[in-house]
Amino acid sequence: MTPMIPPMLDFATGRLRGAELLEKSTTLADLHGLFADPAADAEVDSQTVLYRVAMLPGSGVEGDLNMGVTHLEAGRIGSEFFMTRGHMHARAEQAEYYFGLCGTGLLLLQDMAGVCRLEQVFPGSVHHIPGHVAHRLINTGETRLSALAVWPAIAGHDYKLMAERGFGLRILAGEDGAPRAVDSSMK
Ligand code: F6R
Ligand code: ZN
């Protein structure tokens, strides 16, 4: 019997290979209204791809797991660093793991009470995202940030909840370019 060659993940670059991947790109236009500065948003080509997710196709059945790699580009809209849309799981109790592969950034976590915390993302970082916690990746570095995610196939995505509530923190570049967390209600 010849052992099969499974799909492969290059941990240095986040590149997934060897299987029929599902790929989804998210452009600035898809994230319309998410960034704090509408004038700065309007200055950037709306078709700019901010991030891509490459996923191994999952069966979707209860008990199965999904895995995917998010590649989030480096850049800013005004002073705000590129970020993912962010979501709660549709089955909110379902947890997830993120693993930093390359680049540097932050993982913003927000619980149902609106309490936020940040974790540094870097090659080798491990992030447990409990159930009932919304999550968003932010690239604060100068190169692409790639992170592996593993989550239950039944978790789903609830984007509406966080579109309505919003995340309580924004990550902006200070005058020196370094990231600082700012309360979203402050201008
Ligand atoms: C899956 C998960 C990630 C994100 C990806 C893109 O549960 O958390 O694979 O889906 O980082 O972010 P969103 O989905 O917020 O656009
Ligand atoms: Zn998730």
Side-chain angles (χ1 to χ4, degrees), residues 24 26 31 51-55 66-72 83-89 94-98 107 129 135-137 147-152 155-159 167:
K24 185 179 170 223
T26 299
L31 301 181
Y51 58 98
R52 289 180 296 114
V53 179
M55 255 184 82
N66 287 338
M67 77 88 85
V69 179
T70 301
H71 302 280
L72 175 59
M83 59 189 176
T84 58
R85 186 189 301 276
H87 61 270
M88 185 73 84
H89 290 155
Q94 300 288 314
E96 180 162 12
Y97 265 104
Y98 276 17
L107 174 62
I129 304 168
H135 38 288
R136 162 181 282 168
L137 274 173
L148 168 64
V150 180
W151 69 99
H157 296 90
D158 179 352
Y159 292 108
F167 282 83

Side-chain angles (χ1 to χ4, degrees), residues 38-57:
D41 191 310
E43 277 170 20
V44 179
D45 180 354
S46 65
Q47 291 314 305
T48 303
V49 172
L50 267 55
Y51 58 98
R52 289 180 296 114
V53 179
M55 255 184 82
L56 292 183

Side-chain angles (χ1 to χ4, degrees), residues 8 13 21 27 49 52-53 63 72-73 76 85 107 115-116 127 129 150-151 154-155 159 161 163-164 168 170 174:
M8 283 170 283
T13 63
L21 302 177
T27 63
V49 172
R52 289 180 296 114
V53 179
L72 175 59
E73 301 302 329
R76 295 185 337 215
R85 186 189 301 276
L107 174 62
V115 177
C116 292
H127 310 271
I129 304 168
V150 180
W151 69 99
I154 58 162
Y159 292 108
L161 184 81
E164 286 164 5
R170 293 187 177 276

Side-chain angles (χ1 to χ4, degrees), residues 21-176:
L21 302 177
L22 301 173
E23 294 203 88
K24 185 179 170 223
S25 295
T26 299
T27 63
L28 181 58
D30 295 324
L31 301 181
H32 184 70
L34 208 71
F35 290 91
D37 184 346
D41 191 310
E43 277 170 20
V44 179
D45 180 354
S46 65
Q47 291 314 305
T48 303
V49 172
L50 267 55
Y51 58 98
R52 289 180 296 114
V53 179
M55 255 184 82
L56 292 183
S59 66
V61 300
E62 179 151 15
D64 203 359
L65 296 170
N66 287 338
M67 77 88 85
V69 179
T70 301
H71 302 280
L72 175 59
E73 301 302 329
R76 295 185 337 215
I77 302 297
S79 62
E80 191 166 14
F81 291 100
F82 281 4
M83 59 189 176
T84 58
R85 186 189 301 276
H87 61 270
M88 185 73 84
H89 290 155
R91 288 276 302 268
E93 80 285 0
Q94 300 288 314
E96 180 162 12
Y97 265 104
Y98 276 17
F99 306 87
L101 299 174
C102 62
T104 53
L106 294 167
L107 174 62
L108 173 57
L109 300 163
Q110 180 167 314
D111 69 16
M112 292 298 268
V115 177
C116 292
R117 62 194 174 86
L118 290 163
E119 292 183 359
Q120 291 186 36
V121 184
F122 51 86
S125 62
V126 176
H127 310 271
H128 176 242
I129 304 168
H132 302 281
V133 171
H135 38 288
R136 162 181 282 168
L137 274 173
I138 301 139
N139 187 346
T140 56
E142 284 170 9
T143 58
R144 181 181 297 153
L145 173 67
S146 298
L148 168 64
V150 180
W151 69 99
I154 58 162
H157 296 90
D158 179 352
Y159 292 108
K160 201 164 159 260
L161 184 81
M162 294 317 292
E164 286 164 5
R165 292 190 178 187
F167 282 83
L169 288 180
R170 293 187 177 276
I171 308 301
L172 308 181
E175 297 217 332
D176 57 355

